[in-house]
Amino acid sequence: VQLQASGGGLVQAGGSLRLSCAASGRTFSSSVMGWFRQAPGKEREFVAAISWSGSSTYFADSVKGRFSISRDTAKNTLYLQMNSLKPEDTAVYYCAADQGFRRTYTSGTYYKATTYDYWGRGTLVTVSS
């Protein structure tokens, strides 16, 4: 089972990037999936999550209104569209998935790293001022 994040890079403040997370080894169409990030010298933090059905999304306050999350179950791929990027968005971004089958959590649970069982290697996003 593997999650592979891609799409990171260097972008100027105000710019946009779209991250992708390709899953292999099993289907994640019935899994909760999410994005976390870790800036240098800081702890990993929640960014966004999407329910297994795609009908519900959750965002950290710091990215609300600027980032969106989506999934393509046919491609077994998760996306994070990042707009109006700020220097403080600079971090390594990780995708994650739970191993459950169509689980529904209380909203707070989506924000916790311990909810997720599978983690991909990160992709670096650098936003210059």
Side-chain angles (χ1 to χ4, degrees):
V1 177
Q2 188 175 18
L3 297 174
Q4 181 62 56
S6 62
L10 175 63
V11 63
Q12 287 188 330
S16 298
L17 280 175
R18 187 175 83 153
L19 304 185
S20 299
C21 174
S24 60
R26 57 162 279 182
T27 178
F28 286 95
S29 60
S30 298
S31 294
V32 169
M33 299 191 77
W35 290 95
F36 287 73
R37 67 186 181 186
Q38 187 166 17
K42 295 189 176 181
E43 293 187 353
R44 189 173 298 191
E45 65 174 3
F46 170 79
V47 176
I50 188 166
S51 61
W52 70 267
S53 65
S55 61
S56 297
T57 56
Y58 305 85
F59 296 94
D61 288 343
S62 58
V63 306
K64 231 172 249 184
R66 300 187 297 121
F67 289 14
S68 62
I69 186 171
S70 61
R71 63 195 302 166
D72 185 332
T73 54
K75 295 182 179 180
N76 217 19
T77 301
L78 176 72
Y79 301 100
L80 183 69
Q81 178 67 43
M82 306 186 294
N83 299 325
S84 302
L85 282 161
K86 303 176 181 180
E88 50 264 44
D89 294 318
T90 294
V92 177
Y93 285 71
Y94 300 89
C95 57
D98 80 342
Q99 64 178 358
F101 181 79
R102 297 184 178 179
R103 286 181 181 169
T104 300
Y105 300 109
T106 56
S107 59
T109 305
Y110 290 91
Y111 294 71
K112 299 178 181 178
T114 52
T115 298
Y116 303 87
D117 304 290
Y118 301 104
W119 291 84
R121 292 187 178 182
T123 185
L124 176 63
V125 172
T126 303
V127 184
S128 62
S129 57

